[in-house]
């Protein structure tokens, strides 16, 4: 089933270890698993290098992607369906 029609906008905000030190990555993983359980194997953490081709293969053109840094890092992406 099609979720977005052509020209529709997809927004993604996802936790990532990108741009974080080793200790912060371990602490983030611990907090994540306490709240959500273990992530599926090989799918986490998502990085911009992994996300761009996934979006392209799914028929999206990336308009903006940035790393949002704070206590934890998150990857923000905005893409259009073509």
């Amino acid at each position: 089933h099609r979720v977005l029609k052509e020209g529709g906008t997809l927004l993604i905000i996802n936790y990532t270890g990108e741009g974080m030190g080793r200790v912060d990555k371990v602490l983030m993983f611990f907090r994540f698993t306490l709240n959500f359980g273990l992530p599926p194997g090989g799918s986490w953490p998502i990085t911009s290098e992994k996300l761009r081709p996934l979006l392209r293969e799914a028929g999206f053109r990336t308009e903006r992607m940035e790393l949002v840094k704070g206590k934890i890092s998150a990857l923000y992406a905005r893409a259009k369906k073509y």
Side-chain angles (χ1 to χ4, degrees):
H1 296 282
R2 185 175 68 199
V3 176
L4 286 177
K5 63 182 179 178
E6 193 172 314
T9 301
L10 173 69
L11 297 176
I12 298 172
I13 299 173
N14 194 44
Y15 296 118
T16 182
E18 203 171 338
M20 296 176 70
R22 183 174 286 150
V23 171
D24 289 331
K25 286 181 186 179
V26 170
L27 291 173
M28 182 180 67
F29 181 79
F30 180 70
R31 286 191 302 266
F32 183 92
T33 54
L34 280 177
N35 289 304
F36 306 109
L38 289 173
S43 66
W44 192 86
I46 193 76
T47 63
S48 56
E49 293 158 357
K50 289 181 185 178
L51 186 56
R52 281 184 197 279
L54 290 174
L55 288 170
R56 193 175 324 110
E57 291 168 17
F60 289 90
R61 180 179 47 16
T62 303
E63 292 186 326
R64 183 174 180 179
M65 187 173 298
E66 66 182 80
L67 183 61
V68 180
K69 291 177 140 184
K71 188 173 182 180
I72 59 170
S73 292
L75 190 60
Y76 165 80
R78 183 176 64 220
K80 287 270 189 194
K81 181 77 173 171
Y82 58 83

